Each structure stands twice: as C-alpha cells, then as structure tokens.
Amino acid sequence: MSAGALEDRILDEALAHLRRYGARRTTVLSIAQALGVSHAALYRYFPSKAELFDAAMARALKPLEADLRAIVDAPDPAADKLERLVHAVHRAYRGLSVDDPELFELLSRAAVEGRGAGRKHRAKVQAAVQRVVEEGIGSSAFAVADARRGVAFVFDALHRFIHPVSVG
C-alpha cells in the first residue's frame, strides 16, 4: 500500500471515529486498531492526536473551501457573490452542526482558539469575503470611502452567519 493510500485511510477512519465518538473519546490507538496497523504507524504520518484531528477536519472542510473558490472566481457581480458566499458558509456550517455535531464542535473549538485547521479555514473564509468586498469596492458596486473599514464592517455584519460558534 502506498503512503498516500494509507494516509487517506487514516483520515477516513479518523473522521469516522470523530463522528461516532467525538474528539474526547477518539484515540489514536482505536483508529490504529480499526485500520489493523500499529499506533506507531499513525504517528509516522501525524506526530500527534491534535495534528491528526486537524488533518481530518481540513479534509472535511475541503468541499466547502472549493465551493468558496468557485464563488469568488465566478464572473457574477460582487453583491451576488457575497450573498452566495454567505449562504454557502452558513448552509455548510448548519449542515455540519446537525449532521456531524462532533466534528462541528471540533471546528468551533479550533476557530475560537485560533489554532490548526480551524484557524486556516477561518482565514480562507475571511480571504474569500475580503476578495469579494474589495472587488465590489473596485467596481463601485459597494460605495465605501475606506476599503479597510468597509471590509471590517462586512466581517462584523456577517459574523453571526459565517463564524462556527455563532452558527451552531
């Protein structure tokens, strides 16, 4: 089995355990046992439980991040992009909070603590919003005197729709 295939299997099993048992009751040993490998083999790919959980969460968030890139890169007007972007994030977070509450809790905690995959994901969401707002300012779709303050205002206004803690 190739290294990439084992890493994929590890992440699949980690996500399954996180969804089934939650972060507190999921152990590296239980994931290794389910895969039929030693826990040392897992530590070769992921040096800690936290890094394994971060990688699993990052994998679970990839479809949403791909959707955000597609929205931002679309030729639509900035106002339409912003609306679609907010709906996509909110819908994904609400779905995660209902369908995968254990994974959503892990994402929320990481977003609040500003660490790992949660921090990286929040940065991607913020960058997408910022890019759309700046595009709207550049095209005069959004009338803003100070671009930096305009972006900050949009972040503040959208907080309850695009921050995991506020959505859940």
Side-chain angles (χ1 to χ4, degrees), residues 26-84:
T26 296
T27 65
V28 172
L29 185 58
S30 67
I31 295 168
Q33 287 173 339
L35 291 168
V37 299
S38 71
H39 67 284
L42 267 68
Y43 283 122
R44 277 187 229 126
Y45 291 91
F46 304 98
S48 69
K49 180 179 174 179
E51 288 186 37
L52 173 59
F53 287 2
D54 274 350
M57 186 176 16
R59 174 186 257 196
L61 294 169
K62 276 187 180 185
L64 169 59
E65 292 170 357
D67 288 348
L68 297 181
R69 281 191 301 276
I71 291 168
V72 170
D73 293 338
D76 305 347
D80 292 345
K81 286 184 189 184
L82 187 59
E83 181 179 356
R84 287 180 38 223

Side-chain angles (χ1 to χ4, degrees), residues 11-156:
L11 291 175
D12 289 343
E13 196 62 40
L15 280 169
H17 273 70
L18 284 167
R19 288 177 172 131
R20 194 174 315 127
Y21 306 115
R24 288 185 180 92
R25 293 185 299 157
T26 296
T27 65
V28 172
L29 185 58
S30 67
I31 295 168
Q33 287 173 339
L35 291 168
V37 299
S38 71
H39 67 284
L42 267 68
Y43 283 122
R44 277 187 229 126
Y45 291 91
F46 304 98
S48 69
K49 180 179 174 179
E51 288 186 37
L52 173 59
F53 287 2
D54 274 350
M57 186 176 16
R59 174 186 257 196
L61 294 169
K62 276 187 180 185
L64 169 59
E65 292 170 357
D67 288 348
L68 297 181
R69 281 191 301 276
I71 291 168
V72 170
D73 293 338
D76 305 347
D80 292 345
K81 286 184 189 184
L82 187 59
E83 181 179 356
R84 287 180 38 223
L85 193 140
V86 172
H87 283 294
V89 172
H90 186 72
R91 191 173 32 254
Y93 287 172
R94 285 299 293 160
L96 198 59
S97 73
V98 171
D99 299 334
D100 286 327
E102 299 292 347
L103 192 59
F104 185 75
E105 179 186 339
L106 190 63
L107 170 63
S108 298
R109 216 172 332 131
V112 167
E113 294 169 2
R115 62 176 170 73
R119 178 183 49 78
K120 291 176 186 172
H121 173 70
R122 292 285 310 138
K124 289 176 184 177
V125 171
Q126 290 173 342
V129 170
Q130 182 171 349
R131 188 167 152 207
V132 169
V133 170
E134 288 173 348
E135 180 183 315
I137 291 169
S139 68
S140 300
F142 305 146
V144 177
D146 181 354
R148 189 178 54 74
R149 288 179 57 195
V151 169
F153 172 77
V154 171
F155 283 135
D156 289 346

